[in-house]
């Protein structure tokens, strides 16, 4: 069975451009998480969906960030406009039940904003 | 965001040596997790701990839930080159929630 799939794996863009990161959770999982990882701040939870509904977006840094989950097999994280401080690795993770421990992480998208 | 303190930050060891690392918090947790992250990959769960004093093993890895509930420890016995990577702890204060606080990571390098 395929794991969590993220695309693109690497993204380089210029400041001010829109960036869209994509995630396909493991089939049958109903909870999806977006994380951001930086050297300075470590791994931070941005937003959490359960059954396609955003439950907690308190970790989203600011209004430039938005996330959607139009169906159970797809989610996007959008940054518009992007800034150099958004450079980080963005991970998507899924689990079969909210509150369980075994979150399966995708390989991440390394974003560089110039 | 809040982070847990892990130590050491990094370590070089010889193949075959045992490794110890720990994670401390100013808050009490009721769940501790240990993850390993390989270069270019996402974290993978190694061990989960749910009770103070609990000692759990996964192959050559052993983790303990500290008695104070403010710390946890991970030991790797007889290290091998594929143990290289970053080890993260994560703690949760409330059961049944998804909100984990992650540690700052311990970068392990094994010299063959």
């Amino acid at each position: 069975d395929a794991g969590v799939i993220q695309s693109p794996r690497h993204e380089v863009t210029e400041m001010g451009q829109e960036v869209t990161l994509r995630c396909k959770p493991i089939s049958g999982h109903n909870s999806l998480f977006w994380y951001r990882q930086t050297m300075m701040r470590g791994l931070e939870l941005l937003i959490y969906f359960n059954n396609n509904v955003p439950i907690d977006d308190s970790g989203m840094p600011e209004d430039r960030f938005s996330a959607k989950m139009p169906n159970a097999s797809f989610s996007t994280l959008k940054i518009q406009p992007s800034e150099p401080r958004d450079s980080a690795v963005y991970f998507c993770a899924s689990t079969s039940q909210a509150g369980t421990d075994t979150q399966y992480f995708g390989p991440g998208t390394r974003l560089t904003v110039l | 965001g809040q982070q847990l303190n892990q130590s050491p930050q990094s370590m070089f060891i010889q193949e075959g040596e045992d490794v110890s690392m720990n994670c401390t918090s100013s808050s009490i947790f009721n769940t501790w997790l240990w993850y390993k992250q390989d270069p270019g990959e996402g974290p993978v769960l190694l061990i989960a701990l749910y009770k103070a004093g609990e000692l759990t093993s996964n192959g050559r890895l052993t983790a303990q839930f500290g008695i104070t509930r403010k710390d946890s420890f991970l030991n790797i016995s007889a290290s091998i080159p594929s143990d290289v990577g970053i080890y993260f702890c994560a703690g949760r204060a409330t059961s049944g929630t998804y909100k984990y606080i992650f540690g700052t990571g311990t970068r392990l390098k094994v010299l063959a």
Side-chain angles (χ1 to χ4, degrees):
Chain A
D1 189 17
V4 175
I5 299 172
Q6 291 188 246
S7 64
R9 292 295 308 273
H10 302 273
E11 177 80 26
V12 180
T13 190
E14 292 187 344
M15 182 174 62
Q17 296 297 307
E18 177 180 298
V19 176
T20 300
L21 311 181
R22 297 172 176 80
C23 175
K24 177 178 169 55
I26 293 174
S27 177
H29 283 190
N30 58 4
S31 296
L32 184 141
F33 308 80
W34 281 102
Y35 291 86
R36 179 173 66 177
Q37 186 177 43
T38 62
M39 288 294 292
M40 291 297 295
R41 299 175 66 86
L43 200 62
E44 302 173 284
L45 178 64
L46 300 178
I47 187 170
Y48 153 61
F49 291 87
N50 189 41
N51 292 323
N52 312 339
V53 176
I55 302 300
D56 185 346
D57 65 354
S58 59
M60 296 285 262
E62 47 196 274
D63 292 344
R64 298 184 297 105
F65 286 69
S66 62
K68 295 181 180 179
M69 192 165 185
N71 56 62
S73 60
F74 184 65
S75 177
T76 60
L77 178 68
K78 183 178 294 186
I79 308 173
Q80 166 65 22
S82 58
E83 297 182 3
R85 60 192 169 124
D86 301 331
S87 298
V89 181
Y90 291 81
F91 288 103
C92 175
S94 70
T95 185
S96 59
Q97 180 180 343
T100 62
D101 304 313
T102 310
Q103 293 184 17
Y104 294 87
F105 283 78
T109 295
R110 180 175 294 276
L111 173 65
T112 302
V113 183
L114 303 174
Chain B
Q2 184 181 356
Q3 289 185 346
L4 302 174
N5 292 318
Q6 274 186 254
S7 72
Q9 287 188 335
S10 63
M11 53 195 314
F12 285 86
I13 61 168
Q14 291 287 336
E15 184 177 359
E17 287 185 347
D18 296 343
V19 176
S20 293
M21 61 190 77
N22 66 74
C23 195
T24 59
S25 168
S26 58
S27 305
I28 291 176
F29 289 131
N30 60 19
T31 304
W32 285 96
L33 307 178
W34 283 92
Y35 286 90
K36 182 190 178 207
Q37 184 175 17
D38 291 329
E41 300 296 331
V44 175
L45 182 65
L46 299 173
I47 293 177
L49 303 162
Y50 300 101
K51 291 173 56 177
E54 179 180 355
L55 192 70
T56 298
S57 294
N58 178 5
R60 293 179 295 106
L61 278 62
T62 301
Q64 185 165 22
F65 194 138
I67 291 294
T68 66
R69 296 173 62 193
K70 292 184 177 181
D71 54 13
S72 181
F73 310 90
L74 177 69
N75 295 311
I76 305 173
S77 62
S79 58
I80 59 178
S82 62
D83 290 334
V84 69
I86 304 176
Y87 292 80
F88 290 98
C89 62
R92 179 176 66 178
T94 305
S95 297
T97 70
Y98 52 87
K99 284 194 172 181
Y100 282 91
I101 299 170
F102 283 80
T104 49
T106 294
R107 185 180 297 272
L108 179 64
K109 298 183 182 181
V110 180
L111 305 175

